[in-house]
Amino acid sequence: MALANDMTRLLNKIENRLGLKPLVPHLPEEVKKDKWADVITDDTIVTFSRYYPHKFPMIVNDETCDKLTENGVVYYYIKDEILLGSKLLGIMDIDWTDHTMNNASVGATSLGGGYYYPSFACPSATFESLLGLQMMADISSLYNRGIAIDFQYPNRFCLKGLGNTNYDLDSFTVILLVQHNNLSTISPTKMEIFESLAQADIAKFLYMNLRYYDGLETAYVNIDLKLSELQDEANRRENIIEEIQNSYVSTSNDNIPYIWTV
């Protein structure tokens, strides 16, 4: 119900912004207000997801992925039931911030001895533990060739390192990037640009269909729609897309990894 309400609020907002209240009750059946949600689902959300996808962690193991070796390369195939019908757009990276046993394979290979837990270790040995962790990280950095994900559409990936080295790990966590299924996964901080894109899509939908009725003479009335404002709003779509393109590779997009250096 909450999701339906969110879509209803968005449609009401677009109706108000476009000044369509007097026209909505008289719209032809194929472009009535209840059809606008399909435009947002099929056009707006799809376009928006390509720049600002929804991300969530997935533990890679036998329950989530099938593992096959092809030409000496170990590939992980994400099972369909894990995505629950969502469209997979890509894989962001290994979740290096996951310090649990879900990421045991990465922890063992990258640090050589697991992780340090401040709340788990003996308080009297905290200082020595930190020194030991730093020492292991320093030594590991001499030999660690790094791990990168090679994603291949639609649902498989492999782990590679320097010199095209292939890794075969039993348990690790990755960040999946998927298409939004509804408005609930879109951050409120990004809703302003999403609403602008949705408004342009609805305006284009209405203009492209209502233009065939403009100037039409019937036995009852001469239909003279004022479509110029809808056309102007529809033409804003390209500018909105350009704005998204200019801003999505920035710190405003939490799917873009940035490293701050001083």
Side-chain angles (χ1 to χ4, degrees):
M1 181 64 68
L3 300 182
N5 288 340
D6 287 341
M7 179 62 77
T8 300
R9 292 192 196 98
L10 177 58
L11 296 181
N12 289 339
K13 186 178 294 185
I14 292 174
E15 178 185 13
N16 293 334
R17 289 179 176 178
L18 295 179
L20 294 175
K21 278 190 176 296
L23 183 61
V24 164
H26 309 288
L27 288 174
E29 187 64 33
E30 58 270 19
V31 293
K32 281 189 176 297
K33 191 176 178 180
D34 59 347
K35 301 296 192 298
W36 300 0
D38 294 336
V39 177
I40 292 176
T41 301
D42 297 338
D43 290 339
T44 310
I45 289 181
V46 171
T47 298
F48 187 83
S49 297
R50 291 170 181 169
Y51 298 98
Y52 292 97
H54 174 49
K55 68 175 184 179
F56 67 90
M58 181 192 72
I59 303 169
V60 179
N61 53 32
D62 293 338
E63 296 180 359
T64 59
C65 296
D66 294 318
K67 188 161 52 173
L68 299 175
T69 301
E70 302 178 20
N71 298 322
V73 178
V74 177
Y75 286 99
Y76 300 86
Y77 287 82
I78 302 174
K79 296 180 180 180
D80 292 339
E81 55 266 29
I82 300 302
L83 298 174
L84 298 176
S86 299
K87 183 177 181 179
L88 180 64
L89 301 178
I91 300 177
M92 181 177 176
D93 197 359
I94 294 174
D95 186 3
W96 300 103
T97 64
D98 185 350
H99 303 310
T100 68
M101 291 305 294
N102 296 331
N103 234 6
S105 297
V106 175
T109 55
S110 63
L111 293 181
Y115 294 103
Y116 164 73
Y117 298 89
S119 61
F120 183 78
C122 175
S124 61
T126 297
F127 182 70
E128 290 81 0
S129 297
L130 285 172
L131 292 179
L133 180 65
Q134 184 61 57
M135 182 176 66
M136 284 191 296
D138 292 341
I139 295 175
S140 178
S141 66
L142 298 174
Y143 305 99
N144 184 11
R145 292 173 291 184
I147 302 176
I149 293 179
D150 181 9
F151 172 74
Q152 299 178 8
Y153 192 81
N155 69 333
R156 79 171 188 172
F157 67 95
C158 63
L159 302 176
K160 291 187 177 181
L162 187 64
N164 209 32
T165 304
N166 178 232
Y167 292 89
D168 181 4
L169 304 181
D170 293 328
S171 178
F172 58 100
T173 307
V174 297
I175 304 296
L176 299 184
L177 301 177
V178 300
Q179 182 174 296
H180 296 278
N181 286 329
N182 49 61
L183 304 182
S184 66
T185 54
I186 299 177
S187 169
T189 60
K190 300 180 179 67
M191 279 303 295
E192 193 69 31
I193 191 67
F194 179 84
E195 290 173 357
S196 297
L197 182 61
Q199 182 172 320
D201 283 337
I202 296 299
K204 185 174 183 178
F205 169 71
L206 291 174
Y207 170 74
M208 295 298 290
N209 288 277
L210 292 179
R211 59 181 177 165
Y212 296 108
Y213 293 88
D214 194 27
L216 182 65
E217 292 188 7
T218 69
Y220 305 100
V221 66
N222 180 20
I223 301 177
D224 185 16
L225 299 174
K226 308 301 182 184
L227 299 180
S228 58
E229 292 186 6
L230 278 180
Q231 184 179 19
D232 292 340
E233 186 65 33
N235 291 337
R236 291 186 61 243
R237 191 181 198 277
E238 296 302 322
N239 294 332
I240 295 171
I241 294 297
E242 184 178 356
E243 180 180 346
I244 293 176
Q245 289 175 337
N246 292 336
S247 62
Y248 89 103
V249 185
S250 70
T251 52
S252 67
N253 190 350
D254 50 11
N255 299 319
I256 301 296
Y258 265 82
I259 298 177
W260 290 86
T261 59
V262 179

